[in-house]
Amino acid sequence: RKEVEQDPGPFNVPEGATVAFNCTYSNSASQSFFWYRQDCRKEPKLLMSVYSSGNEDGRFTAQLNRASQYISLLIRDSKLSDSATYLCVVRRNAGNMLTFGGGTRLMVKP
Amino acid sequence: SQTIHQWPATLVQPVGSPLSLECTVEGTSNPNLYWYRQAAGRGLQLLFYSIGIDQISSEVPQNLSASRPQDRQFILSSKKLLLSDSGFYLCARQDLYGYTFGSGTRLTVV
């Protein structure tokens, strides 16, 4: 079983739609969680950290469920520019290593 | 500034040829540095990480090696490239909220 699992997609949604991605992780001792965004042929960039209480940044909402070991990302009012691959990332409990999921591809259509 | 410089941006090399990819970082001294590879349509695979000069840990056995001759310099090398070495190579440094990535080198082995 992969340490971090994501549905690879693609998720094809119209502009203005709300879309949600889930991610599951296997190591119950994982401490920190993040969502990264990766545009085609570019490096990943931090989108947002995920806090236990859930957090929101504009149209983006991230939530963590430690009991079920999953993380979610909700995007409201999708824009064309949101088209990208979204990577779920988990920090191992030992050291500061990050483990990346395979990514979920989102395509927002006009 | 926590800038990361990677070069070259793209590289085409024949099978059996050597490889040297360089990554230099600016900002805080003694950063934790990482080399990742992303094969086409795949997730990020951690290859090496370094917590200091001449301190290298390998995550995956392969025909690649890494060196850190200076605090802000991290080099990925191979004596003889294989076709399977093709991919997008990313250098990253640890920062407060996860990792910052360089712009990557896209390597095609032919």
Side-chain angles (χ1 to χ4, degrees), chain A residues 28-45:
Chain A
S28 60
S30 298
Q31 293 184 334
S32 305
F33 309 90
F34 309 89
W35 283 102
Y36 276 67
R37 170 190 169 131
Q38 185 175 22
D39 292 300
C40 187
R41 302 179 73 82
K42 298 287 188 180
E43 74 274 21
K45 293 183 179 178

Side-chain angles (χ1 to χ4, degrees), chain A residues 19-72:
Chain A
V19 61
F21 309 135
N22 285 333
C23 160
T24 58
Y25 60 95
S26 60
N27 188 339
S28 60
S30 298
Q31 293 184 334
S32 305
F33 309 90
F34 309 89
W35 283 102
Y36 276 67
R37 170 190 169 131
Q38 185 175 22
D39 292 300
C40 187
R41 302 179 73 82
K42 298 287 188 180
E43 74 274 21
K45 293 183 179 178
L46 178 65
L47 178 65
M48 58 195 302
S49 302
V50 186
Y51 303 124
S52 297
S53 55
N55 49 299
E56 188 174 308
D57 183 2
R59 298 181 293 108
F60 298 83
T61 300
Q63 291 194 312
L64 168 64
N65 185 319
R66 285 190 183 272
S68 301
Q69 294 181 207
Y70 80 78
I71 307 147
S72 65

